[in-house]
Amino acid sequence: AQKVTQAQTEISVVEKEDVTLDCVYETRDTTYYLFWYKQPPSGELVFLIRRNSFDEQNEISGRYSWNFQKSTSSFNFTITASQVVDSAVYFCALRMMNTGFQKLVFGTGTRLLVSP
Amino acid sequence: EAGVAQSPRYKIIEKRQSVAFWCNPISGHATLYWYQQILGQGPKLLIQFQNNGVVDDSQLPKDRFSAERLKGVDSTLKIQPAKLEDSAVYLCASSLGRGSYGYTFGSGTRLTVV
């Protein structure tokens, strides 16, 4: 079975602080995808990034960066110089690769509050 | 391109009543998903369609929930009769097909059962 754990329920920071959201996953499969989604108050899930299991190269995109470590089954997400607009719930998700079943398994989410 | 459309945006019903949600996926997307998101939890897959056929409905409470995707385009999710624990946001998503990893989610329908 697959499982995603986001231990941080809520994080509060002041604007311009850096913040890291943790994600730990469990799967017996060797090939899989990992995702981060953002859910603003409007409710829709906004795709941020996808990583596959054989690509551990970390990535930076603007103020966002991701740290994928297969050895510790972690896929952490960092926002540099946070802004009020970053306030949202962030979900980490897992999907198996070699299957026609494309179910996303989500963590419970981390609510990020960025105050001015 | 237009996104995934869902309606209604909000719905309040009494327990034991029935309710239906509608989803219009992105044009050309063969795969459609319904997820249930209970407050404070991550979304959980209820059912996945490939065109108009069901691929995975293992977590759909079939005694009260039903879904269909006639003609492989729009989809309807129904709950009859509703229970208090069905209060949640129901999210619809679509993707191009089996080999595609990119989902697009709709804004969801927030259901409150009183």
Side-chain angles (χ1 to χ4, degrees), chain B:
Chain B
E1 67 181 359
V4 176
Q6 290 189 247
S7 68
R9 191 77 174 90
Y10 304 94
K11 190 74 177 179
I12 301 175
I13 62 172
E14 295 183 350
K15 59 184 179 183
R16 292 187 289 274
Q17 285 187 326
S18 62
V19 64
F21 313 127
W22 173 81
C23 172
N24 186 5
I26 291 176
S27 177
H29 279 194
T31 311
L32 185 147
Y33 316 80
W34 283 101
Y35 280 80
Q36 179 193 55
Q37 186 179 12
I38 293 172
L39 185 65
Q41 299 181 19
K44 180 186 76 173
L45 180 71
L46 290 176
I47 188 167
Q48 174 186 343
F49 291 95
Q50 182 70 19
N51 296 309
N52 60 350
V54 175
V55 174
D56 182 1
D57 64 356
S58 57
Q59 297 190 85
L60 186 74
K62 298 180 186 64
D63 58 333
R64 298 183 301 106
F65 285 64
S66 64
E68 60 182 11
R69 192 183 183 198
L70 300 176
K71 301 181 181 179
V73 182
D74 293 7
S75 178
T76 302
L77 177 69
K78 297 180 181 177
I79 308 175
Q80 181 178 11
K83 292 185 175 181
L84 296 177
E85 59 261 36
D86 298 332
S87 294
V89 175
Y90 291 85
L91 293 161
C92 180
S94 68
S95 67
L96 276 172
R98 285 191 168 216
S100 170
Y101 49 76
Y103 278 46
T104 301
F105 282 88
S107 296
T109 296
R110 183 177 296 277
L111 173 68
T112 302
V113 183
V114 298

Side-chain angles (χ1 to χ4, degrees), chain A residues 2 25-34 51-56 68 70 94-98:
Chain A
Q2 296 84 38
Y25 62 93
E26 296 175 30
T27 178
R28 293 178 181 171
D29 287 48
T30 57
T31 55
Y32 47 86
Y33 293 112
L34 293 163
R51 265 286 173 264
N52 60 48
S53 53
F54 42 83
D55 180 7
E56 289 191 69
F68 175 31
K70 210 168 176 178
L94 170 70
R95 181 169 81 75
M96 297 307 100
M97 193 180 290
N98 296 323

Side-chain angles (χ1 to χ4, degrees), chain A residues 64-103:
Chain A
Y64 296 164
S65 62
W66 291 270
N67 186 343
F68 175 31
Q69 292 193 356
K70 210 168 176 178
S71 60
T72 56
S73 297
S74 65
F75 185 46
N76 297 337
F77 170 41
T78 297
I79 302 174
T80 303
S82 59
Q83 300 175 0
V84 173
V85 293
D86 295 329
S87 297
V89 180
Y90 290 83
F91 289 97
C92 182
L94 170 70
R95 181 169 81 75
M96 297 307 100
M97 193 180 290
N98 296 323
T99 173
F101 295 89
Q102 297 170 301
K103 175 175 66 177

